Amino acid sequence: MRRAAPWFALAAIVLAAVAVPALAGPQTADFAASLRPPGDGALLGTDHSGYDIAVRTASALRISLLLAAVCAVLSTVLGLVVGIAAATAGGWFDAISMRLVDGVNALPHLVVGVVIAALWRGDPLAIIASIALTHWPAVARVVRAELLATASSGWVESARLAGATRVFVGRRHLLPAVSGQALVAVVVLLPHAVWHESTLSFLGVGLSPDRASLGSQLGEARGDVLTGAWWTLAVPGAALVLTALVCAACGASLRRATAAPTPQVWR
């Protein structure tokens, strides 16, 4: 039950991000109700445009989670392709692939992300590309190491000596190892993607204000805090930190669950 707690928390966050905006209905700007404190006509207060902070934060969280999930999946797929190709081909291709991984890892991810996102400012595809193209090397390295370790393990060697074909070995032994790592990679990359997307939007090179994410909402709140409207920064900031912590806990839980797979004996 304790291991399932982070997953219940993540499910609750996703449900709130989807249900709260749907139940609240369309939001319209009401400058007469701007910067109202929590409890004064709105549960968590309003922002400088009069939007309900709770509803707007839930909508922003939904967009941030969606973009982060797409980025995590694309990064994992790209890392899987490079890692599997490097481990399978070996030789000079493996060496070149690992030097490419080292080269991408040496680049400052945030700076590269800002450059890519700034070229197509406000385009969600630019945000996805800036994150996906900078987070795949870790997946490629882990997948390659897992494949090489599994391929040289005793049970795989026994299967080959017993007459198993490459297709059987790949389907029975190598594929489960890779699929487990892929699932872990998606969950582990999710909080990183949330942080990077929010940072890009906070710096002004992310989504446009009409498609607000947590980062753009935090960026808009910088001026409001100076007037004493602390809730405009505290609410989306708490949502961002809580979401990242829950996603990280889910990744750690899944990593522990897949840390020691039981080898399958070929028959």
Side-chain angles (χ1 to χ4, degrees):
M1 186 66 180
R2 185 177 300 178
R3 290 184 178 181
W7 297 99
F8 285 123
L10 181 59
I13 290 175
V14 174
L15 180 62
V18 174
V20 171
L23 294 176
Q27 294 283 297
T28 57
D30 184 5
F31 293 100
S34 63
L35 298 181
R36 287 184 176 178
D40 186 8
L43 179 62
L44 299 178
T46 60
D47 62 6
H48 61 274
S49 297
Y51 291 110
D52 190 307
I53 285 288
V55 178
R56 190 163 176 81
T57 300
S59 300
L61 179 59
R62 180 179 58 187
I63 294 176
S64 294
L65 283 175
L66 180 60
L67 287 177
V70 174
C71 293
V73 171
L74 290 180
S75 297
T76 301
V77 171
L78 185 57
L80 279 172
V81 171
V82 176
I84 293 174
T88 303
W92 63 269
F93 185 84
D94 184 20
I96 293 177
S97 299
M98 290 302 99
R99 298 298 76 77
L100 176 63
V101 168
D102 294 337
V104 176
N105 271 332
L107 297 174
H109 292 175
L110 182 58
V111 175
V112 175
V114 169
V115 171
I116 296 175
L119 293 176
W120 297 276
R121 182 171 300 190
D123 190 350
L125 293 179
I127 302 296
I128 294 172
S130 65
I131 298 175
L133 294 178
T134 56
H135 286 71
W136 62 267
V139 181
R141 189 174 291 278
V142 170
V143 168
R144 172 183 174 272
E146 187 69 24
L147 282 177
L148 293 178
T150 305
S152 60
S153 60
W155 63 88
V156 173
E157 292 294 335
S158 299
R160 288 172 177 167
L161 291 175
T165 63
R166 286 188 175 183
V167 175
F168 183 89
V169 171
R171 178 176 56 84
R172 190 70 178 270
H173 298 289
L174 302 183
L175 184 59
V178 172
S179 60
Q181 291 297 328
L183 182 59
V184 172
V186 170
V187 179
V188 171
L189 283 174
L190 191 58
H192 292 278
V194 170
W195 278 113
H196 275 257
E197 185 279 324
S198 298
T199 302
L200 293 175
S201 297
F202 179 79
L203 294 175
V205 294
L207 299 177
S208 56
D210 61 311
R211 292 179 292 190
S213 66
L214 291 176
S216 61
Q217 195 176 7
L218 290 172
E220 294 175 357
R222 286 179 293 184
D224 298 334
V225 173
L226 298 178
T227 64
W230 54 267
W231 57 89
T232 60
L233 182 66
V235 175
L240 175 60
V241 173
L242 178 61
T243 302
L245 290 177
V246 170
C247 291
C250 291
S253 175
L254 187 59
R255 179 177 289 173
R256 288 193 300 267
T258 59
T262 302
Q264 297 176 326
V265 179
W266 179 76
R267 295 180 180 176

